[in-house]
Amino acid sequence: LVSAMNPFSSSNSPNPTLDATIASIPPTWDTIATKLHTLQTPTERDFRPSIQKGYDPPSPLHKIRLYDSSNKEEDIRVTFYRDSASWCPYCQKVWMTLEEKRIPYRITKVNMRCYGDKPRSFLQMQPNGNIPVAEIDGVIYNQSNDILYALEAKFPESKKLVPTDNDGRERAGRLLRLERQFFSAWMYWLTGNNPNSRKGFEEALTEVEQELASSPGDYFLGSDVSIVDFMFMPFLERMAASLLYFKGFQMRPNPKYPAVEKWFAAMERLDSYVLTKSDYYTHCWDLPPQLGGCISTPEGAPYENAINGGRALTGDNRDSWNVPLEPDLGGVEPDWGFLNQDENAAKREAVERLSANSANIVKFAARGAGKKGMPPVMAALSDPNASSSDAVLVSVDAVLRVVCLDLLGDRNDDEGYTDLAAGIGKGGKEHLENVVQSLAYLRDRIGVPRDMRLPAARQLRAHLNVGIGHLLAAIDAMN
């Protein structure tokens, strides 16, 4: 519908009369909170208190992880430094390992170089700035693999992830060498345009398929997850997203690789993995700034368009980020059926995340009508130094409130959106356009898993497009 990658208006002065009118448009955030509470399950209502305590269910919002009341904060021995946006694959494997072993830990989030600066205190501990870092019993570990093996050695009472028998160790070592070869083949194809690079990747993927097919269980080493699976997963997840988007190569589902698909399904049964799992859209925007660029081919163009919310692959000329949502993003990305979460629960999750932090989210969205930050950062969807436009804050807030009520099922027609567009339209065409840019700015920056899980993210992206569509119609009527 609209891109939020474009330039910002210089107008930044609020209109008190207009804002008073728009602020009075129902619902209020209190109304939304009450409505949400009546619809939530007991587990959903306990989400924020559990976050504060560090208890299950796991969430990227946790600052400490205790899992349950059997662990105490004063007994935490691990501080885990990971990236703020949940983009880093090396952080992901440490994150999964901590969760699978259920080791209590404290979380400190640090920016990646591609989207922000690192605090001086972190650079004093880790001069090269690389993440992840873990402090375990006062000792600093600054390589992801070193952290994994330290966790295995220092917490012998936790779940074993490293084989102890000679045969298991030998097989694990061989598979980890294959993982590095597989990674290199992916990088060679993704970041280049050598015609032989696809062949090399497919040969490596076939070898991975054969190893999984020969395993006595669903995982690389058998019937239970191991360190090998946690080494492979961050990159296999990113391969599935990036090679479809940039090269048009579909790894999931692909009948040539049934054992790989079976392994993905097994991993998706693990809370430790689901917590960290991202979506194709997030990966396809976070990888280029981390890698210095990815090379697109014409075969990837239709998938790129669909993943970005543009034309779906269903042939009916509809956008993929539109309601009603197509299953599996129209055949592009597998739905998260493993969550056993119905559509209404996904909508409630989106409303909870939005309403719990609405003031900050409105301010963030208003960057779309503000000024770009200087100096810029490498990540296209990140701009930590941007400034918000005060002129659109009240209007953006009003749209988000109506979107939340729509997600909760209290909008059976377009009346609420129509009234809202008419009210915002009293500020004129430029004001409408700036509100649209702000909503699109927010829509395009909903990150998985940082902000919410994929089903909720899809619902919020699509419902923001509903609001955007009504404002665009109001703009058209002025032309």
Side-chain angles (χ1 to χ4, degrees):
L1 286 170
V2 63
S3 168
M5 303 297 296
N6 287 324
F8 310 110
S9 165
S10 59
S11 175
N12 192 41
S13 300
N15 181 329
T17 303
L18 174 68
D19 284 353
T21 300
I22 295 170
S24 68
I25 296 174
T28 65
W29 286 114
D30 285 343
T31 300
I32 292 164
T34 299
K35 176 70 174 177
L36 177 63
H37 188 268
T38 63
L39 296 173
Q40 285 178 313
T41 66
T43 299
E44 290 169 353
R45 290 189 196 118
D46 200 39
F47 176 73
R48 293 287 163 174
S50 295
I51 292 293
Q52 294 299 317
K53 296 173 184 176
Y55 293 174
D56 287 334
S59 168
L61 300 180
H62 274 114
K63 295 181 179 179
I64 60 169
R65 278 295 277 143
L66 299 177
Y67 305 96
D68 56 42
S69 59
S70 66
N71 298 306
K72 306 301 179 186
E73 185 172 357
E74 56 267 26
D75 297 326
I76 291 177
R77 298 164 52 194
V78 178
T79 298
F80 173 37
Y81 296 83
R82 69 170 182 87
D83 72 298
S84 305
S86 304
W87 288 0
C88 171
Y90 302 97
C91 297
Q92 186 181 9
K93 60 184 175 182
V94 174
W95 196 5
M96 288 188 290
T97 299
L98 284 163
E99 289 285 328
E100 188 66 23
K101 294 173 81 65
R102 293 183 71 81
I103 296 171
Y105 61 101
R106 183 174 287 103
I107 301 98
T108 298
K109 296 178 183 178
V110 180
N111 290 334
M112 299 182 78
R113 289 189 184 90
C114 62
Y115 62 75
D117 297 327
K118 299 176 190 291
R120 184 182 300 273
S121 58
F122 180 77
L123 293 173
Q124 289 173 342
M125 177 180 62
Q126 173 76 318
N128 64 16
N130 290 342
I131 48 176
V133 171
E135 182 179 347
I136 307 173
D137 295 333
V139 178
I140 302 299
Y141 298 84
N142 54 17
Q143 295 285 340
S144 59
N145 289 0
D146 292 344
I147 297 170
L148 300 190
Y149 288 108
L151 293 173
E152 190 77 9
K154 290 182 174 294
F155 294 88
E157 72 285 357
S158 66
K159 181 176 182 177
K160 302 295 183 187
L161 296 178
V162 176
T164 55
D165 62 292
N166 289 336
D167 288 346
R169 286 183 177 274
E170 188 280 328
R171 177 169 168 79
R174 179 166 53 80
L175 286 168
L176 292 177
R177 290 190 292 274
L178 172 61
E179 186 272 328
R180 288 293 83 192
Q181 296 166 9
F182 191 31
F183 172 86
S184 297
W186 170 52
M187 285 289 97
Y188 187 50
W189 188 16
L190 181 63
T191 60
N193 52 17
N194 187 306
N196 296 321
S197 55
R198 172 172 180 155
K199 180 174 181 290
F201 176 81
E202 290 188 290
E203 288 174 350
L205 178 56
T206 297
E207 189 172 351
V208 171
E209 168 71 20
Q210 291 169 348
E211 290 287 355
L212 284 167
S214 67
S215 171
D218 292 343
Y219 301 97
F220 275 100
L221 295 183
S223 59
D224 204 355
V225 70
S226 73
I227 194 171
V228 175
D229 301 286
F230 289 153
M231 293 281 203
F232 268 89
M233 176 48 86
F235 302 110
L236 269 161
E237 179 184 306
R238 287 158 177 78
M239 290 173 192
S242 62
L243 293 179
L244 185 64
Y245 185 96
F246 292 103
K247 307 293 186 182
F249 178 80
Q250 192 152 19
M251 274 182 63
R252 298 195 67 194
N254 189 323
K256 291 177 63 176
Y257 310 109
V260 170
E261 187 62 30
K262 183 179 178 183
W263 175 78
F264 268 111
M267 293 296 290
E268 288 165 349
R269 293 194 293 268
L270 301 176
D271 289 343
S272 56
Y273 170 56
V274 173
L275 163 67
T276 71
K277 180 177 170 62
S278 188
D279 70 329
Y280 287 9
Y281 175 80
T282 302
H283 277 322
C284 293
W285 283 91
D286 74 43
L287 281 169
Q290 294 180 67
L291 302 176
C294 301
I295 304 299
S296 297
T297 65
E299 293 82 1
Y303 299 101
E304 176 184 340
N305 200 19
I307 289 168
N308 282 343
R311 185 61 51 82
L313 300 183
T314 51
D316 57 1
N317 294 326
R318 70 191 305 273
D319 291 329
S320 60
W321 290 0
N322 209 340
V323 289
L325 292 168
E326 291 284 346
D328 301 313
L329 198 64
V332 174
E333 177 178 10
D335 283 338
W336 288 19
F338 51 84
L339 291 180
N340 295 315
Q341 181 188 52
D342 65 27
E343 182 178 280
N344 288 329
K347 292 178 179 179
R348 293 194 299 272
E349 180 179 331
V351 172
E352 197 284 333
R353 303 303 187 270
L354 183 55
S355 60
N357 195 28
S358 59
N360 288 329
I361 291 171
V362 168
K363 188 80 172 175
F364 174 81
R367 290 178 177 182
K371 294 182 180 179
K372 291 184 177 181
M374 293 299 293
V377 295
M378 289 183 288
L381 296 184
S382 295
D383 193 357
N385 302 314
S387 60
S388 303
S389 168
D390 292 341
V392 300
L393 292 174
V394 173
S395 294
V396 170
D397 185 86
V399 176
L400 295 186
R401 286 185 275 116
V402 172
V403 165
C404 282
L405 208 58
D406 190 8
L407 284 162
L408 294 178
D410 263 19
R411 293 289 180 193
N412 296 321
D413 52 43
D414 292 335
E415 180 180 353
Y417 285 113
T418 303
D419 292 346
L420 182 65
I424 295 173
K426 292 178 181 178
K429 182 180 176 181
E430 182 182 1
H431 182 70
L432 274 167
E433 290 172 341
N434 287 337
V435 175
V436 166
Q437 289 290 343
S438 299
L439 296 170
Y441 185 94
L442 173 62
R443 176 203 64 198
D444 294 348
R445 287 158 179 80
I446 298 168
V448 177
R450 180 194 63 194
D451 302 319
M452 59 195 72
R453 296 174 295 185
L454 177 58
R458 289 192 68 199
Q459 290 292 342
L460 183 52
R461 290 164 181 162
H463 282 78
L464 284 170
N465 270 344
V466 173
I468 289 170
H470 282 276
L471 298 186
L472 289 175
I475 292 171
D476 288 343
M478 293 179 177
N479 293 332

